[in-house]
Amino acid sequence: MFEEADNFADLFRGGLPYYLLITLPILIICSSNPVLAASEFGVQRMSQYDVHGAAYGCRASALNLEAKSLYTWQTSRHCVLTRLQDMTIDHFREIRAKAGGLVVLLPEETAALSLEDKQHIHLLEQAMMVQDVPIPVYFSKYDTKLNSIIDEVTRTTVRNPKQSTQNRESAFSEIFGSISANGYQIVVSGASHSANKQSKIPIIQGELAPMKPSKALDGDNKLPLIIVTAHLDTFGLTNSRQSNADVAVLLTLVELFSKLHASIPKYRLIFLVSESGLLLNFQGMKKWLDSNLDENVQIQHAEFVVCLDTVGQLLANENIYMHVSKPPKEGTSMNSFYKTLRTVAQRYGNVSVEGVHKKINLADTLLAWEHERFSMKRMPAFTLSNVKSHKDPMRNTIFDDDTVEEQLDALERNVKIIAEALASHIYNVPAEDGAAGEIFTGSMAISREQIKPWLHIRSTQQNNDLRYAFEKYLRNVKVTYEKPDAREPDFMLYDDRDALLNIYNVKPAVFDLFLTFMIAAYLSAVYFAIFHFPRLYGIVCRMTVAKTKVN
């Protein structure tokens, strides 16, 4: 072949390309094909919002980095891929300060975790929400494929620091392992973190009042007023909530008292649901008070305001706490209701009711409880809750610690206590009569079937279920909106579109270096073989002649 070539170019028209056809596929097979090794997952970006000019939550969205485990990431060019229960608060703080991104796999079922793991997750969740996070943070619902990727990333990178040097692999094995290992590239598309200029907080209200005013109620003689409120949490660590137990309790109360009120109206009841809770500093209730308090004198003279917050979250907690900014004085309606509530609670598994007094600190940027909005307007108000401290992480968690059945058991018990106490106060039924004094019995008995439909109620900006529920049982239903000021907004929400997480199986950077050396060595061998071909040809001929003579 080479003897018949007239010039160097004739070599490439001969047999040499066949050698390349053999070699190049080998090199291509060694390289990773990201298109064939791609995995796609739906993720949610960590919530982002502003309150009184302070930034909270995730402040970035773009992500295109190499995936590393929780234990091996080093620089801002790495994205940490981990499970939520594996990460500690110290891990998160370090990642927030130095890493390039964070992708977290949420637990498959929080209720199945141990009590220690649940407490750990809630504390971590709270720590992540109290500050702004400059890196993109994404959360994925549990996925077996993503879980196996995390296992692989961790398995191929983590080394046991306690392993002795005698048992460790040789340097060659370490290098070969680094070259042959698979890496992952994380790319997130479709996410956005631009401010939503159309941000608004809905506040829906309705009332139970007599269909026709009584003759005895003319002039200034009006029915006494009680206000019952709850807030609908539309977001937390992510822009989704699994359940809204407080609104479910309020809607169940609405349904129950609408039956009583139709025949024996003793009080005027106003029910309020604001779609802004602790995270947005109860801005919705502030808007409602500013709009209605000066115009409606009767609201100013309400007997008391009942705020529901974290009611029925913990079945194991046998306490109901009545949080107040100022202890009620003896002889007041609020003090009378507190005593009634304590008496009624003892009928249902000896549940104890405890008063908790916390003064309002005007120096704090954020309020502790919703009733403080009313207390600042000099209205008697309190919050009923299953948590004792306003700092309890259960108040704004997106996770359900209890199963649906356990949660319904807790809600059924608490609804019975609150409804019976409120009805005893309204209709002046002595609570000391025990079971004989129960009002909601027989056909009006409270059951979990009444509560369950309201447990996953959605925002009025997503559907009209909440509005329809109010219009079904209440009168004078009205929806108002709190919008941020254009110049100095008290709050600001951001786009919360779902994003796509693409994970590509790629080779590490050291493999590219190794491949470069191999290609350079191959090309050098081809070059020297061609350049010294006469000498190589002579050697081969002599070896062939010698072998022929021997035969």
Side-chain angles (χ1 to χ4, degrees):
M1 176 185 68
F2 294 99
E3 295 177 82
E4 297 173 357
D6 296 331
N7 52 52
F8 183 80
D10 289 336
L11 293 176
F12 293 92
R13 291 193 290 267
L16 189 59
Y18 293 103
Y19 295 97
L20 295 178
L21 290 176
I22 295 174
T23 309
L24 288 179
I26 296 175
L27 298 177
I28 294 173
I29 291 172
C30 292
S31 63
S32 175
N33 186 348
V35 176
L36 298 178
S39 299
E40 188 175 271
F41 308 93
V43 292
Q44 281 193 330
R45 192 171 69 93
M46 181 181 177
S47 298
Q48 178 181 359
Y49 60 98
D50 301 337
V51 180
H52 302 308
Y56 296 92
C58 179
R59 318 307 291 186
S61 60
L63 187 59
N64 188 349
L65 297 169
E66 181 184 1
K68 288 290 184 180
S69 73
L70 186 63
Y71 312 101
T72 58
W73 73 272
Q74 295 178 344
T75 70
S76 59
R77 297 189 301 274
H78 294 158
C79 174
V80 181
L81 183 61
T82 183
R83 302 178 189 87
L84 182 65
Q85 56 267 39
D86 294 340
M87 186 168 54
T88 65
I89 295 178
D90 291 335
H91 281 149
F92 174 73
R93 289 173 178 168
E94 187 176 4
I95 291 170
R96 173 184 176 272
K98 299 178 182 179
L102 175 63
V103 175
V104 181
L105 179 65
L106 298 178
E108 182 177 10
E109 188 177 352
T110 313
L113 299 177
S114 65
L115 179 60
E116 183 180 356
D117 287 339
K118 292 177 184 178
Q119 293 174 345
H120 166 71
I121 287 176
H122 292 315
L123 291 175
L124 176 60
E125 180 184 18
Q126 187 180 45
M128 297 175 75
M129 292 297 296
V130 297
Q131 57 191 330
D132 65 310
V133 183
I135 64 172
V137 180
Y138 290 93
F139 296 90
S140 170
K141 293 182 179 180
Y142 185 82
D143 187 281
T144 54
K145 190 172 184 180
L146 183 56
N147 188 55
S148 63
I149 291 176
I150 295 176
D151 286 336
E152 185 173 349
V153 170
T154 306
R155 182 173 58 251
T156 57
T157 53
V158 174
R159 302 295 179 186
N160 186 357
K162 297 181 180 180
Q163 190 177 17
S164 64
T165 56
Q166 294 180 352
N167 296 330
R168 288 182 179 175
E169 298 177 350
S170 64
F172 177 79
S173 298
E174 292 281 351
I175 295 174
F176 181 77
S178 299
I179 294 172
S180 60
N182 288 324
Y184 291 94
Q185 187 77 10
I186 289 182
V187 180
V188 173
S189 59
S192 173
H193 67 284
S194 57
N196 184 1
K197 300 298 183 180
Q198 306 300 320
S199 300
K200 58 184 179 181
I201 298 173
I203 309 103
I204 185 168
Q205 69 180 77
E207 64 177 288
L208 284 175
M211 297 296 293
K212 295 181 179 180
S214 172
K215 294 181 180 180
L217 298 176
D218 56 350
D220 294 334
N221 298 322
K222 297 181 179 180
L223 289 175
L225 173 65
I226 293 176
I227 301 175
V228 182
T229 77
H231 54 268
L232 180 70
D233 293 317
T234 56
F235 71 94
L237 188 62
T238 62
N239 290 297
S240 64
R241 292 292 299 233
Q242 296 189 20
S243 63
N244 274 285
D246 300 328
V247 176
V249 171
L250 183 138
L251 291 176
T252 307
L253 294 175
V254 167
E255 182 180 356
L256 292 171
F257 281 92
S258 66
K259 299 175 182 178
L260 289 178
H261 224 70
S263 57
I264 317 173
K266 294 288 186 179
Y267 271 72
R268 180 184 173 206
L269 298 178
I270 291 181
F271 293 90
L272 295 172
V273 173
S274 168
E275 296 187 14
S276 64
L278 177 65
L279 296 181
L280 293 180
N281 201 26
F282 310 105
Q283 286 296 129
M285 205 53 64
K286 178 179 180 295
K287 166 70 174 180
W288 187 85
L289 286 170
D290 292 342
S291 302
N292 293 275
L293 196 59
D294 295 335
E295 299 177 0
N296 195 324
V297 178
Q298 192 178 11
I299 292 179
Q300 298 179 16
H301 296 90
E303 280 201 1
F304 54 79
V305 181
V306 182
C307 302
L308 304 174
D309 191 324
T310 323
V311 179
Q313 290 288 337
L314 295 175
L315 181 63
N317 193 341
E318 297 298 331
N319 293 331
I320 294 178
Y321 298 97
M322 182 173 172
H323 298 270
V324 296
S325 300
K326 185 178 180 180
K329 295 182 179 179
E330 190 70 31
T332 61
S333 297
M334 197 162 82
N335 182 265
S336 174
F337 177 78
Y338 173 62
K339 292 179 180 178
T340 302
L341 186 68
R342 293 184 63 181
T343 303
V344 170
Q346 294 177 359
R347 302 177 192 165
Y348 304 94
N350 291 322
V351 177
S352 62
V353 176
E354 180 181 341
V356 180
H357 173 218
K358 178 191 175 300
K359 293 183 178 180
I360 301 175
N361 188 353
L362 298 177
D364 291 340
T365 305
L366 303 178
L367 297 179
W369 300 99
E370 189 173 44
H371 74 262
E372 294 181 357
R373 286 289 180 197
F374 295 90
S375 298
M376 292 170 67
K377 300 292 184 179
R378 299 185 180 277
M379 296 176 63
F382 56 88
T383 297
L384 296 180
S385 177
N386 278 136
V387 298
K388 188 174 184 178
S389 171
H390 67 282
K391 297 180 180 180
D392 196 301
M394 288 298 299
R395 293 186 63 197
N396 52 13
T397 183
I398 64 171
F399 304 104
D400 288 333
D401 280 6
D402 304 320
T403 63
V404 176
E405 294 300 317
E406 291 173 335
Q407 190 176 27
L408 286 173
D409 285 341
L411 288 172
E412 183 181 359
R413 180 199 64 187
N414 290 341
V415 168
K416 286 180 179 179
I417 293 172
I418 297 171
E420 289 288 347
L422 196 57
S424 296
H425 177 83
I426 291 175
Y427 297 104
N428 197 24
V429 176
E432 293 79 5
D433 292 346
E438 288 189 15
I439 297 175
F440 296 100
T441 58
S443 61
M444 297 185 62
I446 301 169
S447 65
R448 62 177 59 192
E449 285 72 22
Q450 292 176 280
I451 306 171
K452 192 173 183 179
W454 311 122
L455 199 56
H456 298 280
I457 200 80
R458 306 295 292 275
S459 166
T460 55
Q461 299 185 77
Q462 296 176 316
N463 58 44
N464 291 319
D465 291 349
L466 183 58
R467 185 184 184 114
Y468 290 158
F470 265 63
E471 292 176 344
K472 181 179 180 181
Y473 299 108
L474 304 176
R475 298 174 56 203
N476 302 327
V477 175
K478 181 181 178 182
V479 180
T480 56
Y481 296 93
E482 162 70 333
K483 298 180 180 179
D485 184 75
R487 295 184 178 179
E488 296 182 359
D490 288 331
F491 70 95
M492 181 59 67
L493 304 178
Y494 291 77
D495 288 340
D496 59 350
R497 292 178 296 176
D498 293 343
L500 289 177
L501 168 67
N502 294 282
I503 301 182
Y504 300 100
N505 193 344
V506 297
K507 288 294 183 181
V510 67
F511 176 80
D512 294 336
L513 182 63
F514 170 76
L515 195 60
T516 301
F517 281 123
M518 292 295 295
I519 293 173
Y522 166 74
L523 293 178
S524 299
V526 171
Y527 171 78
F528 284 110
I530 296 174
F531 188 78
H532 298 286
F533 180 76
R535 184 181 300 176
L536 180 63
Y537 182 73
I539 295 173
V540 173
C541 289
R542 286 195 296 271
M543 291 176 62
T544 305
V545 172
K547 193 172 183 179
T548 303
K549 290 181 178 181
V550 170
N551 294 336

